[in-house]
Amino acid sequence: MSRAENLQLRGSIYWLRLRVPDELRPLVGKTEIKKSLKTGDLREAKLRARYERVRLDAEWELLRGRLRLKRDYSLSDREIWYLVSKWFVEEEKKNTSSTDTYPSVDDAHYDYAMSTSSEHVAPAVYQTANAILVERGLEFDPSSDDGLRLQRILHPAIIEIAKRDYQRSVPGAQVSLDPQFAALSAQTALPPVAKFTLKRLMEEFRSDATRTPLAGKSAKKRDAQWEIIKAFFAEETPLDRIDRLRVREFMALIAKLPSNASKHFPDATIFEAVEFGADKKLPVLSIDTANGYLRQLGALFRFAVDEGFVATDPTSGLLFRGEKVRAKDRRDPFTVDELIKIFGAPIYTGCVDDDYGYAKPGPNIPRRGRFWVPLISLYTGMRLNEICQLTLDDFVVEDGVDIILIRGDDDGETKRIKTAAGQRFIPVHSELRRIGLLRYVTARRKKGLATDVLFPELPLGSTGYRSDPFSKYFARFLDHIEIKDKKKVFHSFRHSYRDALREADISIEKVRALGGWSGKNTEDHYGSGLRASTLAEAIEDIRYPKLDLSHLYQTNTRAVS
């Protein structure tokens, strides 16, 4: 046995043996962990043992966290007084704002006598205590020690509410008020006490009716970020345990998390992923991606502050700082030579098919999604997802001009646009007409409904978007034609389009309308916008010198009716 590595050779296979820490044995149910490493090679066994120890350390740390929660999870006298005071103030607000009155003074006397009787107060105290604990996310029985202490303070508070209500209903009534509640009224502002758990906070945040619900890719991205947050902090952790120091520890972990950790190590915890990523020298998250986790955590805590769950936001001002990359430097436009390469590839000059044979020379030029999407982007500046989600009824005639509507659905599920300015229309460029886009639309309409997707053969990704698989295809396409610059991606078409608008010396108002870019001036929000015929004239000025697409022209360019 290799004692230094806790390894034991059984027959021809190495096993790992680890002693379970004493304090964790009741939770683990064992005194020792024994696990086969499924290899007889000592070097490989040592590596697997190291990974297994990292995994166990992470599991044991989570168990220690649960032990700490169970050991420390109690309410102080101050916190109990806060809970009762908050309930008292809220009841006062309801009663003082109520317009209900008793039919007679006798009815008020009777209700007061009933409300302060022991038969009424005892069950009311228990029920109210239970309701308070549930509302605040405090998971223990009202009959526990903390629950009984809460009930003892609630008892006089419930009677005091009844007394004040009686006094308001019967002017001049002689009632002895409880001095400990004298300072509390409907206008009292109380400092928050934090016993809300992270899990409960996320549930409240998700169900907040004032917040625009996320859908599709955005919702999945947030949920993935939340999973990392829960994995680090433990979802049953009370919010007051997540302080500034703990957030900085989270930052330290995120800074080491490898890119695409879930793909590289699908079964690993985040702690294991950091260790494994370092061993394999994988690149870590970009600053923008890492800050995305901090912004999600910050959004949760700002919501918690606004709702009174905590007093302060421990994430305030905490973001990774690095060399800021200008937006225009993140992606580069395609050069004319690169555009010639793209539209001179087999899929545009003759290929086997537009599936696996798109890069192999052959007799076919299938005019489907993979053919049209880059061309549409080049002459409209549309984003990839905007093109992939087009339906046949997005092609209409307005002001005597064939236009493409770029719009989102009300539910945000089927169609989505990036910004409000993205809701727009673009005239069909004459080059797209000559290549046969409108003929393609007309032919598709004869085969299906007006609401059918323009390119149904493009597969949906796991996020529900056709743009995700297409983006991966286009990366392979660029690799085949030897455009390997990392700043050259599908979005480079949009950059090329913006440069073409500059070269055409088109006014900024028309540029914004044709590209879906928003302005910052108040006057931009007045009026109904430019006419289709005006934009059609402007878009015809877009040119790509030396790019000859005449090999793609079709003679019939009849407009869509």
Side-chain angles (χ1 to χ4, degrees):
M1 177 174 176
S2 176
R3 296 185 182 277
E5 301 288 343
N6 298 102
L7 297 179
Q8 182 180 43
L9 185 62
R10 290 186 181 179
S12 60
I13 300 297
Y14 280 100
W15 284 64
L16 174 69
R17 292 182 60 184
L18 286 177
R19 182 175 175 273
V20 177
D22 293 342
E23 72 275 16
L24 299 181
R25 289 180 182 180
L27 293 178
V28 176
K30 299 178 182 178
T31 59
E32 188 179 48
I33 297 293
K34 299 177 183 178
K35 184 175 177 61
S36 170
L37 298 175
K38 299 179 181 179
T39 181
D41 182 271
L42 179 58
R43 183 176 180 183
E44 179 67 19
K46 288 181 178 180
L47 181 62
R48 294 185 184 184
R50 182 182 179 191
Y51 287 174
E52 188 63 25
R53 283 196 298 274
V54 170
R55 186 185 66 79
L56 286 170
D57 284 344
E59 282 186 9
W60 290 347
E61 184 56 35
L62 289 176
L63 291 177
R64 289 189 183 96
R66 291 178 194 171
L67 282 178
R68 286 194 294 269
L69 291 181
K70 290 182 178 180
R71 192 179 303 124
D72 300 338
Y73 198 75
S74 63
L75 294 174
S76 66
D77 290 339
R78 182 186 72 83
E79 290 169 335
I80 287 176
W81 173 247
Y82 164 81
L83 292 174
V84 173
S85 300
K86 184 172 178 61
W87 171 86
F88 187 93
V89 169
E90 289 171 351
E91 287 298 306
E92 272 288 271
K93 285 180 181 178
K94 293 177 188 176
N95 292 344
T96 54
S97 62
S98 175
T99 57
D100 293 341
T101 58
Y102 290 103
S104 66
V105 173
D106 287 342
D107 288 321
H109 289 326
Y110 177 79
D111 191 64
Y112 171 63
M114 289 295 295
S115 298
T116 55
S117 67
S118 58
E119 291 104 3
H120 171 84
V121 174
V125 166
Y126 183 88
Q127 291 168 3
T128 303
N130 189 58
I132 288 173
L133 293 175
V134 170
E135 179 188 356
R136 303 304 295 177
L138 302 170
E139 299 178 1
F140 53 80
D141 194 296
S143 59
S144 64
D145 289 344
D146 283 346
L148 292 174
R149 287 163 58 222
L150 175 63
Q151 290 184 58
R152 282 196 290 272
I153 303 298
L154 262 176
H155 188 280
I158 288 175
I159 294 176
E160 180 71 4
I161 287 290
K163 287 180 178 181
R164 291 191 182 190
D165 196 31
Y166 176 64
Q167 193 175 56
R168 281 189 291 267
S169 302
V170 184
Q174 297 299 313
V175 180
S176 176
L177 299 179
D178 193 326
Q180 70 176 323
F181 299 105
L184 298 179
S185 69
Q187 286 73 45
T188 303
L190 297 168
V193 60
K195 286 296 178 183
F196 235 62
T197 64
L198 180 62
K199 177 182 178 181
R200 180 74 183 278
L201 173 62
M202 288 177 170
E203 291 171 352
E204 294 288 334
F205 185 97
R206 195 189 297 274
S207 62
D208 180 19
T210 66
R211 192 174 300 277
T212 303
L214 298 180
K217 188 185 296 186
S218 298
K220 289 191 176 185
K221 179 179 178 180
R222 183 196 63 189
D223 289 347
Q225 291 168 327
W226 279 13
E227 287 302 314
I228 295 293
I229 291 170
K230 287 190 292 185
F232 181 83
F233 292 104
E235 60 181 14
E236 297 300 336
T237 300
L239 298 184
D240 59 355
R241 304 285 177 81
I242 303 177
D243 56 14
R244 191 82 166 179
L245 176 61
R246 195 76 177 115
V247 175
R248 287 192 177 277
E249 290 172 348
F250 178 62
M251 289 182 70
L253 179 85
I254 292 298
K256 300 174 185 175
L257 193 65
S259 298
N260 297 313
S262 61
K263 293 181 181 178
H264 289 298
F265 315 111
D267 299 321
T269 67
I270 55 172
F271 307 101
E272 294 170 346
V274 166
E275 184 80 12
F276 299 163
D279 284 344
K280 294 180 179 294
K281 295 182 171 54
L282 296 177
V284 297
L285 298 177
S286 68
I287 288 178
D288 283 348
T289 303
N291 279 335
Y293 292 97
L294 293 174
R295 291 189 180 100
Q296 281 294 342
L297 185 61
L300 287 167
F301 268 100
R302 285 191 294 277
F303 174 74
V305 171
D306 292 342
E307 295 299 305
F309 304 150
V310 292
T312 59
D313 172 13
T315 72
S316 178
L318 291 182
L319 285 176
F320 291 102
R321 309 296 175 186
E323 185 177 350
K324 191 169 182 179
V325 180
R326 295 178 301 169
K328 74 172 188 175
D329 291 335
R330 292 175 184 168
R331 296 289 181 258
D332 284 343
F334 290 119
T335 65
V336 173
D337 287 341
E338 287 168 338
L339 290 176
I340 291 171
K341 265 190 176 184
I342 290 169
F343 297 108
I347 196 168
Y348 293 103
T349 57
C351 61
V352 174
D353 57 50
D354 62 351
D355 194 4
Y356 295 106
Y358 69 87
K360 298 176 182 178
N364 304 307
I365 304 180
R367 291 175 176 252
R368 301 197 302 172
R370 288 185 171 181
F371 174 92
W372 283 114
V373 172
L375 287 166
I376 292 173
S377 185
L378 184 65
Y379 284 100
T380 65
M382 289 171 65
R383 299 175 178 91
L384 177 55
N385 191 58
E386 292 172 343
I387 302 172
C388 290
Q389 70 186 10
L390 284 174
T391 50
L392 297 174
D393 59 352
D394 288 327
F395 288 78
V396 299
V397 176
E398 183 178 308
D399 194 22
V401 173
D402 290 296
I403 63 173
I404 306 172
L405 301 176
I406 296 99
R407 50 189 174 167
D409 285 341
D410 291 338
D411 61 8
E413 289 290 340
T414 308
K415 289 184 178 182
R416 300 195 73 202
I417 51 175
K418 187 174 182 181
T419 64
Q423 188 101 358
R424 64 197 189 280
F425 68 85
I426 301 179
V428 177
H429 194 284
S430 59
E431 197 73 347
L432 292 176
R433 283 173 168 275
R434 286 188 282 268
I435 296 171
L437 177 60
L438 299 181
R439 285 187 66 185
Y440 173 81
V441 174
T442 300
R444 284 279 296 112
R445 282 178 175 165
K446 292 177 181 179
K447 297 179 181 179
L449 300 174
T451 54
D452 284 352
V453 175
L454 184 61
F455 305 119
E457 77 284 354
L458 295 182
L460 285 170
S462 59
T463 58
Y465 294 94
R466 287 182 166 82
S467 53
D468 289 343
F470 193 96
S471 180
K472 293 174 183 177
Y473 149 74
F474 194 74
R476 296 192 302 271
F477 171 85
L478 291 181
D479 192 57
H480 275 297
I481 61 173
E482 298 188 349
I483 297 178
K484 300 181 182 294
D485 187 341
K486 290 184 178 180
K487 290 187 177 182
K488 303 294 176 73
V489 294
F490 188 89
H491 202 66
S492 295
F493 284 121
R494 188 163 164 83
H495 286 267
S496 297
Y497 177 78
R498 183 63 184 90
D499 280 350
L501 289 169
R502 288 189 183 96
E503 290 294 330
D505 198 22
I506 297 173
S507 71
I508 189 61
E509 188 173 3
K510 292 176 184 175
V511 164
R512 288 173 181 162
L514 289 169
W517 292 289
S518 58
K520 297 181 180 179
N521 299 322
T522 303
E523 65 268 19
D524 292 336
H525 303 290
Y526 286 81
S528 57
L530 295 165
R531 294 173 57 189
S533 56
T534 302
L535 292 179
E537 184 179 344
I539 204 169
E540 286 304 314
D541 289 334
I542 291 179
R543 298 282 188 276
Y544 297 98
K546 299 181 182 178
L547 177 63
D548 183 5
L549 299 180
S550 60
H551 61 289
L552 302 177
Y553 289 174
Q554 292 186 336
T555 54
N556 187 345
T557 58
R558 187 164 44 85
V560 176
S561 58

